[in-house]
Amino acid sequence: MDIKSFIESYGTYAQAAESLGFKERTLASWCRHERTPSRAQARALIIKSDGRLTYEDIFGPLPSSQSDTSPQAQGPERESA
């Protein structure tokens, strides 16, 4: 579930703000991707969502820890002299 769907599940921003403890404007800016919750705010959202939200839902996927070893990622091959 993404953060926008979670917030909108409350009905209105006013209802979500009252239940979640954030300002309506704050919630609206998160839904419009104008701002991102702080780590503390994200943690509070995850707790209040009873696990329906994750950090990845809020901030997006983490960069892969594996490097791309495909030939295209290695760059053009150099000719030996």
Side-chain angles (χ1 to χ4, degrees):
M1 168 179 280
D2 65 359
I3 191 169
K4 181 177 181 180
S5 298
F6 173 70
I7 291 169
E8 290 177 347
S9 73
Y10 284 87
T12 65
Y13 289 133
Q15 292 167 324
E18 185 175 329
S19 294
L20 299 172
F22 297 104
K23 294 179 183 177
E24 288 180 54
R25 289 178 54 110
T26 300
L27 298 177
S29 68
W30 293 343
C31 288
R32 290 190 300 264
H33 303 286
E34 295 169 347
R35 300 192 62 145
T36 305
S38 68
R39 287 185 211 163
Q41 291 168 325
R43 185 171 190 276
L45 284 170
I46 291 166
I47 291 168
K48 292 176 184 193
S49 76
D50 293 323
R52 290 182 289 161
L53 280 179
T54 65
Y55 284 106
E56 191 169 288
D57 293 331
I58 296 169
F59 297 116
L62 296 173
S64 175
S65 61
Q66 297 176 344
S67 62
D68 188 353
T69 57
S70 66
Q72 294 81 10
Q74 300 297 318
E77 291 190 28
R78 298 181 187 257
E79 293 182 25
S80 54

